[in-house]
Amino acid sequence: MHTYDPSALECLAAIVEEGGFERAAQRLNVTQSAVSQRLRALEAQVGSVLLVRSRPLRPTSAGQLLLKHTRQLRLLRADLDRDLQELAPRAPGGAREDERISIAINADSIATWALDALGPLVRHNLPLEIITDDQDFTQEWLRSGQVLGCVTTLKKALRGCKVVPLGAMEYVAVASPEFARTHLEGGLTARNFRDLTFVCFNRKDDMQAEFVARRLGLKRVSLASVFVPSSEGQLRAVAAGWGVSVVPELMARPLIANGKLVDVSPGFTLPIQLYWHSWNLESDVLDALSGALTSAAHKVLSGVKKEKAAQSGPGGLNP
């Protein structure tokens, strides 16, 4: 079995995570030449090219395996640091970049419940990195080994991973009172939805179309859209009269209560089931992350399904 130089592994990770050799060198506090030399030495040891020199740079299949291994090493170091802190507490802060523990969470969860869940861990020096993406795509970050866990709408566990149901995020359709009076007399209907502008998160966001299709009993809809890549920004845009948006009820509730927004489809909500996926590894840090997220989600999300708490993917490990 080969033993790979941790500095070379972190060099590969830095190049991918920073998007280039120059920024990787700055992060590692070495010269760009040293970064190139470490990568070449690692590629020679593996016997394979590890990076595709494209724009942006991307890892090859062999590179992805080494990146996943590197992040597992980070998790082991975080576990060790956690144990040592209990024996010999140290001053807060000082985490190195190569100690970062990365997870992927959808923006709506970040804007509502996830940060409260993770706060105590960060205050106890967990060097956390949160990557945000659409809830239908966060699992790709886990699949590629770039994160050790993700919040996603996908139920099936990946190979070597486990999954826990978090509950359902309820979504409502809202508009400003003035926009509703002008464009939505009688609420959202099959007659008026094609004439409306919908405020979407980004081009991956199909929440608006799914809401309209389910609400009106249609198989497929096409909507006029503008894009605001922020959950909070979507609400601000709607309040400013940009159009209609489908947003978490948790975020819309106080704005509806104080009259700044109007529910344009009263009595109807779209529940989106969320799941926490993570590597199936023995790790105190990973257990703490999983516990914090699932506990917080179960308090605020609705309809937690009575499913097996942890499942492994096909050919994966059984808990």
PDB file of all heavy atoms in Angstrom, residues 196-209:
ATOM      1  N   LEU A 196     -47.208  36.339 -15.378  1.00  0.00           N
ATOM      2  CA  LEU A 196     -46.478  36.784 -14.201  1.00  0.00           C
ATOM      3  C   LEU A 196     -44.969  36.594 -14.366  1.00  0.00           C
ATOM      4  O   LEU A 196     -44.522  35.706 -15.097  1.00  0.00           O
ATOM      5  CB  LEU A 196     -46.939  35.998 -12.966  1.00  0.00           C
ATOM      6  CG  LEU A 196     -48.434  36.048 -12.646  1.00  0.00           C
ATOM      7  CD1 LEU A 196     -48.749  35.091 -11.499  1.00  0.00           C
ATOM      8  CD2 LEU A 196     -48.854  37.474 -12.306  1.00  0.00           C
ATOM      9  N   THR A 197     -44.220  37.407 -13.670  1.00  0.00           N
ATOM     10  CA  THR A 197     -42.779  37.214 -13.554  1.00  0.00           C
ATOM     11  C   THR A 197     -42.504  36.498 -12.227  1.00  0.00           C
ATOM     12  O   THR A 197     -43.024  36.906 -11.183  1.00  0.00           O
ATOM     13  CB  THR A 197     -42.032  38.559 -13.568  1.00  0.00           C
ATOM     14  OG1 THR A 197     -42.249  39.183 -14.828  1.00  0.00           O
ATOM     15  CG2 THR A 197     -40.536  38.344 -13.364  1.00  0.00           C
ATOM     16  N   PHE A 198     -41.712  35.441 -12.286  1.00  0.00           N
ATOM     17  CA  PHE A 198     -41.358  34.694 -11.074  1.00  0.00           C
ATOM     18  C   PHE A 198     -39.897  34.954 -10.736  1.00  0.00           C
ATOM     19  O   PHE A 198     -39.018  34.917 -11.616  1.00  0.00           O
ATOM     20  CB  PHE A 198     -41.597  33.199 -11.287  1.00  0.00           C
ATOM     21  CG  PHE A 198     -43.045  32.813 -11.257  1.00  0.00           C
ATOM     22  CD1 PHE A 198     -43.853  32.993 -12.369  1.00  0.00           C
ATOM     23  CD2 PHE A 198     -43.618  32.287 -10.102  1.00  0.00           C
ATOM     24  CE1 PHE A 198     -45.196  32.658 -12.344  1.00  0.00           C
ATOM     25  CE2 PHE A 198     -44.961  31.947 -10.063  1.00  0.00           C
ATOM     26  CZ  PHE A 198     -45.763  32.134 -11.185  1.00  0.00           C
ATOM     27  N   VAL A 199     -39.643  35.195  -9.463  1.00  0.00           N
ATOM     28  CA  VAL A 199     -38.290  35.447  -8.972  1.00  0.00           C
ATOM     29  C   VAL A 199     -37.695  34.117  -8.533  1.00  0.00           C
ATOM     30  O   VAL A 199     -38.118  33.541  -7.522  1.00  0.00           O
ATOM     31  CB  VAL A 199     -38.282  36.455  -7.805  1.00  0.00           C
ATOM     32  CG1 VAL A 199     -36.851  36.736  -7.359  1.00  0.00           C
ATOM     33  CG2 VAL A 199     -38.979  37.745  -8.218  1.00  0.00           C
ATOM     34  N   CYS A 200     -36.728  33.604  -9.287  1.00  0.00           N
ATOM     35  CA  CYS A 200     -36.108  32.314  -9.015  1.00  0.00           C
ATOM     36  C   CYS A 200     -34.719  32.508  -8.428  1.00  0.00           C
ATOM     37  O   CYS A 200     -34.106  33.569  -8.579  1.00  0.00           O
ATOM     38  CB  CYS A 200     -35.995  31.488 -10.297  1.00  0.00           C
ATOM     39  SG  CYS A 200     -37.568  31.202 -11.125  1.00  0.00           S
ATOM     40  N   PHE A 201     -34.205  31.466  -7.790  1.00  0.00           N
ATOM     41  CA  PHE A 201     -32.872  31.515  -7.188  1.00  0.00           C
ATOM     42  C   PHE A 201     -31.797  31.548  -8.277  1.00  0.00           C
ATOM     43  O   PHE A 201     -30.924  32.401  -8.288  1.00  0.00           O
ATOM     44  CB  PHE A 201     -32.662  30.316  -6.265  1.00  0.00           C
ATOM     45  CG  PHE A 201     -31.378  30.345  -5.492  1.00  0.00           C
ATOM     46  CD1 PHE A 201     -31.284  31.056  -4.315  1.00  0.00           C
ATOM     47  CD2 PHE A 201     -30.266  29.652  -5.938  1.00  0.00           C
ATOM     48  CE1 PHE A 201     -30.103  31.091  -3.597  1.00  0.00           C
ATOM     49  CE2 PHE A 201     -29.076  29.676  -5.232  1.00  0.00           C
ATOM     50  CZ  PHE A 201     -28.987  30.405  -4.057  1.00  0.00           C
ATOM     51  N   ASN A 202     -31.823  30.574  -9.172  1.00  0.00           N
ATOM     52  CA  ASN A 202     -30.914  30.524 -10.319  1.00  0.00           C
ATOM     53  C   ASN A 202     -31.534  29.612 -11.375  1.00  0.00           C
ATOM     54  O   ASN A 202     -32.681  29.186 -11.242  1.00  0.00           O
ATOM     55  CB  ASN A 202     -29.501  30.061  -9.914  1.00  0.00           C
ATOM     56  CG  ASN A 202     -29.499  28.685  -9.266  1.00  0.00           C
ATOM     57  OD1 ASN A 202     -30.418  27.872  -9.465  1.00  0.00           O
ATOM     58  ND2 ASN A 202     -28.477  28.383  -8.484  1.00  0.00           N
ATOM     59  N   ARG A 203     -30.782  29.308 -12.415  1.00  0.00           N
ATOM     60  CA  ARG A 203     -31.345  28.518 -13.509  1.00  0.00           C
ATOM     61  C   ARG A 203     -31.571  27.058 -13.136  1.00  0.00           C
ATOM     62  O   ARG A 203     -32.265  26.333 -13.849  1.00  0.00           O
ATOM     63  CB  ARG A 203     -30.445  28.625 -14.751  1.00  0.00           C
ATOM     64  CG  ARG A 203     -30.430  30.027 -15.343  1.00  0.00           C
ATOM     65  CD  ARG A 203     -29.620  30.124 -16.614  1.00  0.00           C
ATOM     66  NE  ARG A 203     -29.589  31.487 -17.105  1.00  0.00           N
ATOM     67  CZ  ARG A 203     -30.525  32.033 -17.878  1.00  0.00           C
ATOM     68  NH1 ARG A 203     -31.571  31.294 -18.249  1.00  0.00           N
ATOM     69  NH2 ARG A 203     -30.436  33.277 -18.281  1.00  0.00           N
ATOM     70  N   LYS A 204     -30.984  26.605 -12.035  1.00  0.00           N
ATOM     71  CA  LYS A 204     -31.256  25.252 -11.556  1.00  0.00           C
ATOM     72  C   LYS A 204     -32.581  25.169 -10.799  1.00  0.00           C
ATOM     73  O   LYS A 204     -33.109  24.086 -10.569  1.00  0.00           O
ATOM     74  CB  LYS A 204     -30.138  24.803 -10.607  1.00  0.00           C
ATOM     75  CG  LYS A 204     -28.765  24.643 -11.233  1.00  0.00           C
ATOM     76  CD  LYS A 204     -27.766  24.220 -10.160  1.00  0.00           C
ATOM     77  CE  LYS A 204     -26.372  24.034 -10.705  1.00  0.00           C
ATOM     78  NZ  LYS A 204     -25.414  23.669  -9.628  1.00  0.00           N
ATOM     79  N   ASP A 205     -33.085  26.306 -10.386  1.00  0.00           N
ATOM     80  CA  ASP A 205     -34.238  26.362  -9.496  1.00  0.00           C
ATOM     81  C   ASP A 205     -35.528  26.070 -10.260  1.00  0.00           C
ATOM     82  O   ASP A 205     -35.988  26.884 -11.058  1.00  0.00           O
ATOM     83  CB  ASP A 205     -34.300  27.755  -8.861  1.00  0.00           C
ATOM     84  CG  ASP A 205     -35.476  27.918  -7.910  1.00  0.00           C
ATOM     85  OD1 ASP A 205     -36.088  26.896  -7.545  1.00  0.00           O
ATOM     86  OD2 ASP A 205     -35.773  29.073  -7.538  1.00  0.00           O
ATOM     87  N   ASP A 206     -36.116  24.901  -9.993  1.00  0.00           N
ATOM     88  CA  ASP A 206     -37.399  24.562 -10.614  1.00  0.00           C
ATOM     89  C   ASP A 206     -38.545  24.591  -9.607  1.00  0.00           C
ATOM     90  O   ASP A 206     -39.634  24.083  -9.869  1.00  0.00           O
ATOM     91  CB  ASP A 206     -37.326  23.191 -11.287  1.00  0.00           C
ATOM     92  CG  ASP A 206     -37.049  22.055 -10.301  1.00  0.00           C
ATOM     93  OD1 ASP A 206     -36.837  22.331  -9.103  1.00  0.00           O
ATOM     94  OD2 ASP A 206     -37.036  20.895 -10.738  1.00  0.00           O
ATOM     95  N   MET A 207     -38.282  25.207  -8.432  1.00  0.00           N
ATOM     96  CA  MET A 207     -39.294  25.256  -7.382  1.00  0.00           C
ATOM     97  C   MET A 207     -40.553  25.989  -7.841  1.00  0.00           C
ATOM     98  O   MET A 207     -41.687  25.556  -7.572  1.00  0.00           O
ATOM     99  CB  MET A 207     -38.716  25.952  -6.148  1.00  0.00           C
ATOM    100  CG  MET A 207     -39.625  25.921  -4.935  1.00  0.00           C
ATOM    101  SD  MET A 207     -39.672  24.289  -4.196  1.00  0.00           S
ATOM    102  CE  MET A 207     -37.978  24.171  -3.618  1.00  0.00           C
ATOM    103  N   GLN A 208     -40.364  27.110  -8.552  1.00  0.00           N
ATOM    104  CA  GLN A 208     -41.515  27.901  -8.978  1.00  0.00           C
ATOM    105  C   GLN A 208     -42.402  27.093  -9.929  1.00  0.00           C
ATOM    106  O   GLN A 208     -43.624  27.043  -9.774  1.00  0.00           O
ATOM    107  CB  GLN A 208     -41.037  29.183  -9.671  1.00  0.00           C
ATOM    108  CG  GLN A 208     -39.754  29.790  -9.153  1.00  0.00           C
ATOM    109  CD  GLN A 208     -39.862  30.318  -7.742  1.00  0.00           C
ATOM    110  OE1 GLN A 208     -40.869  30.917  -7.381  1.00  0.00           O
ATOM    111  NE2 GLN A 208     -38.819  30.117  -6.925  1.00  0.00           N
ATOM    112  N   ALA A 209     -41.758  26.443 -10.912  1.00  0.00           N
ATOM    113  CA  ALA A 209     -42.526  25.665 -11.890  1.00  0.00           C
ATOM    114  C   ALA A 209     -43.220  24.482 -11.231  1.00  0.00           C
ATOM    115  O   ALA A 209     -44.370  24.148 -11.568  1.00  0.00           O
ATOM    116  CB  ALA A 209     -41.599  25.185 -13.009  1.00  0.00           C
TER     117      ALA A 209
END
